[in-house]
Amino acid sequence: MRADVQWKLRWESELELAEHVELAEFFRKTYGPTGAFNAKPFEGSQSWAGARPELRAITYDANGVAAHMGLLRRFIKVGTTDQLVAELGLYGVRPDLEGLGIGHSIQAMLPVLRELAVPFAFGTVRPALQKHIERFGRNCPVTVVSEISVRSTLPHARTDLPPTRVEDPLVIILPVGRPISDWPAGTTIDRNGPEL
């Protein structure tokens, strides 16, 4: 990222209402161009779409929020194995800064991931972002895996939809406290909750 940005790591309970409002506006503007449905969860002051993060890496510049990445520790089921991970998600970069952010976002999170003593960071992205993630992977020891079905619950129980959905995203694994060879085998991942 540019030298004129400032990173802040914020625990969820530290955020003030004004910060949630600012983040919600950031996500509406960042996700809105990809479809009005993608901006809908961020109406009003809600600064999360699915699961609520416990920690956020927020980048600010002179124009306000420049980038964001959320973190949530959870157990996921990989095949038949319960695996502790720090799920990374709720990622966004302001449109005028695109192409400058995800690597720096994860680099800002790495010291915290190590402090939290999680064995792996985990996240998912849509297949259209494969080249972007592969470019990022040249500078960071991430593993990108395809052909894995990921099951998540919907953020809200609805009478007109099933309570879970299954997708085939790209799965990103970042070894933190253990080597990638310790990642469990399996062609399915169950989040046991909503996506971050």
Side-chain angles (χ1 to χ4, degrees), residues 14-195:
E14 296 173 343
L15 291 174
E16 301 291 333
L17 178 59
E19 293 171 294
H20 284 290
V21 170
E22 182 180 29
L23 287 166
E25 181 181 356
F26 164 77
F27 285 121
R28 285 192 302 271
K29 288 179 179 177
T30 302
Y31 290 178
T34 64
F37 179 80
N38 294 327
K40 188 169 177 52
F42 304 105
E43 291 177 349
S45 60
Q46 184 165 317
S47 64
W48 64 94
R52 193 166 173 173
E54 63 180 312
L55 181 69
R56 298 171 186 251
I58 308 168
T59 311
Y60 295 91
D61 68 5
N63 297 314
V65 177
H68 179 282
M69 180 175 282
L71 176 149
L72 176 65
R73 287 173 287 185
R74 67 182 347 159
F75 278 92
I76 61 174
K77 190 173 287 290
V78 182
T80 59
T81 304
D82 285 329
Q83 178 62 61
L84 173 63
V85 297
E87 182 170 356
L88 300 177
L90 199 54
Y91 176 71
V93 174
R94 207 173 57 226
D96 63 308
L97 297 175
E98 282 183 6
L100 301 174
I102 193 167
H104 295 277
S105 299
I106 291 181
Q107 294 298 333
M109 281 286 199
L110 273 176
V112 174
L113 290 168
R114 290 183 184 118
E115 285 177 24
L116 295 175
V118 293
F120 301 100
F122 151 85
T124 60
V125 297
R126 60 187 191 278
L129 294 175
Q130 182 164 357
K131 289 186 181 189
H132 178 70
I133 296 299
E134 287 171 351
R135 276 194 314 270
F136 159 69
R138 290 183 217 144
N139 301 317
C140 192
V142 298
T143 299
V144 180
V145 184
S146 59
E147 299 182 18
I148 295 200
S149 295
V150 179
R151 185 173 141 187
S152 309
T153 61
L154 297 182
H156 305 287
R158 295 178 45 170
T159 57
D160 60 334
L161 294 172
T164 61
R165 69 170 179 248
V166 177
E167 300 173 298
D168 295 312
L170 293 177
V171 173
I172 300 166
I173 307 157
L174 174 66
V176 179
R178 297 199 356 230
I180 193 64
S181 58
D182 287 350
W183 181 259
T187 58
T188 61
I189 292 176
D190 195 333
R191 273 193 174 98
N192 294 310
E195 179 180 5

